[in-house]
Amino acid sequence: MVALLCGSVLFACAAPAQPVALDSHRTPDGSQPGSAATSPPAPPESASTSSPEPSTSANEQPATSEQASTTAASGAVSRSTSVGDRRYPRLGSADLDVDHYKVALRYDADGVAFTGRITVAGQFVNATDQLALDNAGPTVTAVTDGAGELAFQQSDDELLISLGSVAPAGSTFAVTVDFASAVPASGSFLERAGLFRNETGPGVWSVNEPDGTSTWLPVNDHPTDKATWRFAVTVPEGLSAISNGELEGTTRDDATASSTWTWDQNEPMASYLVLLLVGEYETEDGGRSSTGVDIESAAETEDVADLDNYTAIVDRQMEYFTELFGTYPFERYGLALADSASGLAMETQGKPLFSRQDLDGSVGYFQHLLLAHEMAHQWFGDAVSPATWDDIWLNEGWATYAEWMWLEREGLSTLEEQAEQSLAGTAHRGGPVSRPHELFGDVTYDGGAAVLHALRLTIGDEAFFDGARAWVTDHMDSAASTDDFQATMEEASGRDLDTFFETWVHAATRPDMFPATA
Ligand code: ZN
């Protein structure tokens, strides 16, 4: 399997996708772009000058003209159905700032089809008479607020809820949506994101990055709108449910031979970082890390013993990355060994997902790499999320760079070797690091990490790691862009980095040699 994988070995390679033709409307600070609701979307520009190959990955979603419509003004009110992300124009609504999602799911006997109820609570950012949620799968049966039923419409992967009157900007909302959904029988994580059926038994696993959560839950599906979450998942006898945050409890209902697993994520989390596992899982209390973080993992009953083989590595990695990147950003950490497809891992917040086939109890290069990568994402991706999906290198470049540092520390490879190899493989293809042809291609991972190495050589170790820590503290629990990253690194180094970012980050191709050390 490894031979099929990209340099990062986290995600199997797909051909470069067609770059999309819309420009971004994101505000550089990653906040909700209130202005996007009143300004119309930019007209499509002609496709980039490179000649991309056709996409084989459904995770790349070239914009269509329907998707491009971000906002339909209705008098003075906004009806936003997009936050204006160039790569994924269907995602999010600029009208919403969600605070909390309360989710209840009930799985059928096979652990595959489910009914759900989600309460979405927050504030309107703009005056609007419509509340739009991303909803690309569930069939909605009812929508209510405190006052009664609300009219709704399902179209173009959106759930459009009529408020009946104009809600002013700043006013709060809480709507409850009832829906039914099922996990598709087919499809690989290379083609789509969302829920997948377990490899070997009943139940499901999730990989939601970038747009998968809205294929099974109506949500404001963009990392610029983080919220707290609560999942109460009812599963048939013999199955259990794992999600992010703290396990509040499990209750059994003898009458229906089912149990409900309730998970509370009380730290802000982007929708793509939701973890949902249904299967024969157990939780394992891993005590406390030497850095003082509660460790709680999950694995299928037959795999629980495998977790122990990773305890010491996780502890040492936590110590190492805390030293480099600053305090671990969340209350808890743990591994989820899922009955998921091999070759994929995912940095689900506080509890990254790994395939039980990859973390099978063995400890080698690949396991060190996977564990380092997903832990580093907790700082880069989870605590600080990308402001747009074009900024994905700020997740994957950092996680890959952290891998290299860890592998060197363990004597499993050298950073120099990894960096040289990655630069040679990515310098001349795949598009700009800040706008890669493929979301999860090797320009994003290896190219992004090579750029970080070039930056480190340019500004020196002290400024580089000061900047890394400042990036996390300055944008904690929020989303930030490549321009924000440049600003942080300029401040940390006291240097103007326009030329560096032009040459290494925004240019279509990159130098094939690293700069001399500062
Ligand atoms: Zn990653």
Side-chain angles (χ1 to χ4, degrees):
M1 185 68 195
V2 170
L4 282 174
L5 301 170
C6 287
S8 68
V9 254
L10 284 173
F11 186 61
C13 293
Q18 176 123 16
V20 294
L22 285 181
D23 221 351
S24 172
H25 279 87
R26 292 260 359 113
T27 52
D29 67 356
S31 61
Q32 285 286 317
S35 60
T38 42
S39 54
E45 51 183 45
S46 56
S48 103
T49 48
S50 61
S51 48
E53 293 159 44
S55 170
T56 57
S57 164
N59 281 323
E60 298 296 328
Q61 297 203 332
T64 63
S65 48
E66 305 93 84
Q67 286 173 317
S69 131
T70 59
T71 313
S74 146
V77 306
S78 167
R79 287 182 182 170
S80 169
T81 57
S82 172
V83 292
D85 188 314
R86 185 191 76 93
R87 278 190 110 94
Y88 290 91
R90 88 161 177 88
L91 295 181
S93 158
D95 295 342
L96 306 182
D97 178 5
V98 177
D99 291 332
H100 186 67
Y101 293 101
K102 184 178 168 197
V103 185
L105 304 175
R106 180 177 287 273
Y107 276 81
D108 71 359
D110 300 326
V112 163
F114 58 98
T115 55
R117 168 171 284 188
I118 184 168
T119 299
V120 184
Q123 293 101 46
F124 290 111
V125 174
N126 304 303
T128 183
D129 60 357
Q130 174 179 283
L131 196 161
L133 296 173
D134 299 311
N135 184 62
T139 303
V140 173
T141 51
V143 181
T144 56
D145 66 4
E149 295 225 0
L150 295 172
F152 65 91
Q153 197 190 323
Q154 282 193 262
S155 69
D156 290 339
D157 298 339
E158 298 279 344
L159 170 63
L160 305 174
I161 302 169
S162 301
L163 300 172
S165 60
V166 175
S171 61
T172 60
F173 62 81
V175 293
T176 298
V177 181
D178 288 324
F179 59 93
S181 197
V183 182
S186 61
S188 101
F189 64 82
L190 294 176
E191 289 146 13
R192 63 176 179 87
L195 291 181
F196 297 85
R197 296 190 186 188
N198 280 348
E199 294 286 288
T200 56
V204 301
W205 57 279
S206 64
V207 58
N208 292 310
E209 188 183 21
D211 59 350
T213 301
S214 53
T215 67
W216 56 279
L217 277 184
V219 291
N220 195 34
D221 203 2
H222 197 270
T224 45
D225 190 8
K226 296 190 180 185
T228 55
W229 300 72
R230 178 189 168 91
F231 276 89
V233 187
T234 302
V235 291
E237 183 101 62
L239 298 183
S240 51
I242 307 294
S243 188
N244 318 75
E246 185 177 16
L247 180 61
E248 195 186 282
T250 27
T251 54
R252 229 195 101 73
D253 179 22
D254 289 328
T256 55
S258 62
S259 61
T260 300
W261 290 61
T262 304
W263 292 88
D264 243 312
Q265 170 60 287
N266 60 14
E267 296 163 297
M269 178 171 82
S271 51
Y272 80 94
L273 297 171
V274 165
L275 169 72
L276 179 67
L277 302 178
V278 172
E280 290 161 17
Y281 291 99
E282 287 178 23
T283 58
E284 193 196 54
D285 181 355
R288 199 160 261 212
S289 75
S290 49
T291 50
V293 175
D294 284 335
I295 306 290
E296 188 167 285
S297 295
E300 296 219 302
T301 306
E302 58 180 307
D303 301 332
V304 170
D306 292 343
L307 284 167
D308 299 340
N309 298 8
Y310 305 114
T311 309
I313 299 177
V314 165
D315 196 65
R316 285 190 291 119
Q317 285 178 337
M318 180 78 79
E319 215 171 294
Y320 181 54
F321 291 140
T322 298
E323 206 177 288
L324 293 177
F325 307 141
T327 309
Y328 174 75
F330 305 116
E331 278 172 26
R332 49 182 63 79
Y333 187 73
L335 314 179
L337 306 190
D339 188 10
S340 57
S342 165
L344 173 84
M346 179 65 210
E347 64 269 26
T348 35
Q349 188 164 310
K351 199 181 289 153
L353 169 147
F354 303 88
S355 167
R356 62 189 290 270
Q357 300 172 57
D358 297 333
L359 293 196
D360 58 358
S362 60
V363 178
Y365 181 94
F366 187 44
Q367 288 72 30
H368 274 278
L369 175 159
L370 289 171
L371 288 165
H373 185 105
E374 304 309 334
M375 185 184 286
H377 266 312
Q378 304 300 312
W379 285 262
F380 302 101
D382 295 11
V384 184
S385 300
T388 77
W389 287 109
D390 277 334
D391 299 310
I392 184 75
W393 77 282
L394 295 169
N395 287 15
E396 302 304 344
W398 271 111
T400 304
Y401 199 63
E403 254 174 50
W404 297 352
M405 290 191 287
W406 178 256
L407 291 171
E408 172 160 285
R409 189 186 167 93
E410 290 296 297
L412 293 168
S413 73
T414 70
L415 198 147
E416 177 96 19
E417 199 180 308
Q418 296 275 2
E420 290 294 347
Q421 235 177 53
S422 295
L423 189 61
T426 60
H428 296 309
R429 41 172 215 87
V433 163
S434 60
R435 219 185 237 225
H437 290 171
E438 260 189 292
L439 189 64
F440 298 118
D442 49 11
V443 165
T444 299
Y445 287 79
D446 296 6
V451 164
L452 291 172
H453 190 59
L455 179 63
R456 179 178 175 181
L457 294 173
T458 303
I459 64 177
D461 281 11
E462 201 182 319
F464 180 76
F465 288 107
D466 281 353
R469 288 185 290 271
W471 171 249
V472 177
T473 44
D474 290 357
H475 299 287
M476 177 75 75
D477 293 339
S478 177
S481 68
T482 299
D483 286 348
D484 295 330
F485 184 62
Q486 181 179 339
T488 297
M489 286 300 176
E490 287 185 340
E491 201 177 319
S493 65
R495 290 177 54 167
D496 176 345
L497 295 172
D498 274 350
T499 308
F500 180 90
F501 273 75
E502 241 348 286
T503 310
W504 285 90
V505 179
H506 300 303
T509 62
R510 290 155 290 287
D512 46 24
M513 271 176 63
F514 283 113
T517 320

